[in-house]
Each structure stands twice: as structure tokens, then as C-alpha cells.
Amino acid sequence: MLFKAMDLFVMARLAEIGGGYLIWQWLRNGKPLWVGILGAVIMVVYGGVATRQEFSFGKTYAAYGGIFIVMAVLWGWLVDRKIPDLSEWIGAGICLVGVFVMLLKR
């Protein structure tokens, strides 16, 4: 159960961050309109993936928040090539511990 939940969290985070990144590229960095449209479509996919969780809405989105922070730090490092500093890694780790604490009890 926990591994399925984590898989869904990661898929949803990749869709949300990836879609948001494409919209950012379109609006802030002058990429073509189709890049923004693709980002919007991916954001809709994110919304569908989120509904596949077995937890309540509040617990799901609270846990997504923690996973989002970790994935955003990783995205910035791997895609934008901005190396996170120690405080970002520590903060992301604390968030991940919080996610596991929330999800341990059904």
C-alpha cells in the first residue's frame, strides 16, 4: 500500500512540476505556445493521477505537499542545474519524514 502510494505521489509530482515547468518556459522564457499548451495538458493529467490515491483528500494533498518539495529540489538540481544547498536538502528531508509519518496510519 505505501509503495503504491509513493509511486502515485511521484507520478503526480512529475506531472505537476513538469507541466508547471513547461508553462513557466512558455510565459517567462519565450517558448512557443504549444509548450504552454502541453504543460496545461500535463497539469490535467496530474489532477487525474491524484485521485487514484486511497487516502482522504486532505491527507493525500498534505502528503503531496511534502513530496512536491522534495521533487522540486530534485528538479531544480537535475533539470535547471541549480545545486541545492545544505538547508534545502535538510528541509526536503524533514518534509519526507513528515510524509511517512502521515501515511503510516491509514
Side-chain angles (χ1 to χ4, degrees):
M1 162 83 173
L2 186 58
F3 291 112
K4 178 185 174 193
M6 293 309 291
D7 287 345
L8 287 170
F9 283 138
V10 170
M11 286 190 307
R13 283 306 119 203
L14 286 174
E16 184 182 14
I17 294 170
Y21 182 77
L22 291 175
I23 293 170
W24 181 284
Q25 292 300 313
W26 167 55
L27 290 174
R28 301 263 320 244
N29 295 329
K31 299 294 181 187
L33 174 62
W34 70 265
V35 172
I37 292 170
L38 178 60
V41 169
I42 292 171
M43 294 292 281
V44 170
V45 169
Y46 149 71
V49 172
T51 66
R52 308 304 301 164
Q53 288 291 358
E54 297 179 23
F55 304 108
S56 68
F57 179 85
K59 183 182 267 194
T60 295
Y61 276 83
Y64 272 150
I67 298 295
F68 180 88
I69 291 168
V70 172
M71 297 287 292
V73 169
L74 290 172
W75 186 279
W77 181 31
L78 299 172
V79 176
D80 269 347
R81 303 285 186 219
K82 307 291 184 200
I83 299 172
D85 64 22
L86 182 60
S87 67
E88 291 167 306
W89 286 121
I90 291 171
I94 290 169
C95 291
L96 198 54
V97 168
V99 167
F100 283 110
V101 169
M102 282 191 287
L103 298 181
L104 282 175
K105 183 176 179 223
R106 249 173 104 48

